[in-house]
Amino acid sequence: MTHAIETTEQLEALFGQPGEASLKKEVQYLHPAYQALIAASPFAVLATCGPGGLDASPRGDAPGFVIVQDEKTLLLPERRGNNRIDSLRNIVGDSRVALLFLIPGVGETLRVNGNARITVAPELMARFAVEGKLPQCVIEVRVETVFFQCARAIQRSKLWAPLPADQPREVPTPGAILSALTDAAFDGATYDRELPARQRATLY
């Protein structure tokens, strides 16, 4: 006997039918209420699909860093990073994308699905200049579906609950991780020491 759920029918029998609100909240355009959530969000997760499988990558900046071009189009700047360009490689080969927007202190998140293309159009790049610096490129997302996600996941995780000021870091540092992955061939202590200044100098 297997306990694996392998069919849609099995899933529907396990969970039952979604409530009316869960269906009514999904639309095929950026309703003004959803535009307000995007304008308030300083952080999003970009999901893409490529030859190596799925990928999810964080994106963040000042609230409203993702621009609503119109009710069917979003513009997302691609800032400086580690130059792996995993998401961009995926978009070139498969335009399907998904975005999850988070807003500090707000339980609801916003989910956007659509298709994307990468552009370096000067007029679009100029809209995202910060401190006189342009993004590397702009991701233009053609929206297909939009809906908000209820707050239960944020509530259960206590994501926005303040941490005690004296709570120690309980996870390894980036340098410690790199050192462990390379059997100490990577100088993790130096990496950690230099990282804050390097990040400040290369945010844009």
Side-chain angles (χ1 to χ4, degrees), residues 163-169:
L163 295 175
D166 58 350
Q167 179 171 317
R169 181 186 176 103

Side-chain angles (χ1 to χ4, degrees), residues 179-199:
S179 180
L181 291 174
T182 61
D183 293 326
F186 197 94
D187 186 351
T190 298
Y191 185 87
D192 283 336
R193 185 172 60 254
E194 296 176 349
L195 183 59
R198 184 164 63 250
Q199 289 176 330

Side-chain angles (χ1 to χ4, degrees), residues 146-165:
V146 190
F147 58 97
F148 74 87
Q149 185 77 31
C150 78
R152 291 186 185 89
I154 301 297
Q155 292 169 346
R156 286 191 290 257
S157 68
K158 298 181 173 59
L159 183 63
W160 305 130
L163 295 175

Side-chain angles (χ1 to χ4, degrees), residues 97-112:
V97 299
L99 285 160
L100 176 69
F101 291 92
L102 287 84
I103 305 168
V106 175
E108 287 72 29
T109 57
L110 186 70
R111 295 167 61 176
V112 178

Side-chain angles (χ1 to χ4, degrees), residues 4-83:
I5 302 297
E6 298 175 333
T7 68
T8 302
E9 291 75 19
Q10 289 175 306
L11 276 175
E12 291 175 348
L14 180 64
F15 284 91
Q17 295 300 310
E20 182 181 11
S22 294
L23 300 175
K24 294 289 188 182
K25 67 184 179 182
E26 181 176 343
V27 294
Q28 285 69 54
Y29 65 99
L30 296 164
H31 185 279
Y34 288 158
Q35 293 185 31
L37 295 179
I38 294 170
S41 174
F43 185 85
V45 178
L46 172 66
T48 58
C49 182
L54 302 175
D55 183 76
S57 179
R59 296 291 189 275
D61 213 321
F65 75 102
V66 176
I67 291 178
V68 177
Q69 174 84 340
D70 55 55
E71 66 177 18
K72 292 290 290 184
T73 311
L74 287 175
L75 302 175
L76 170 64
E78 184 70 17
R79 301 292 185 191
R80 295 182 64 173
N82 55 21
N83 292 334

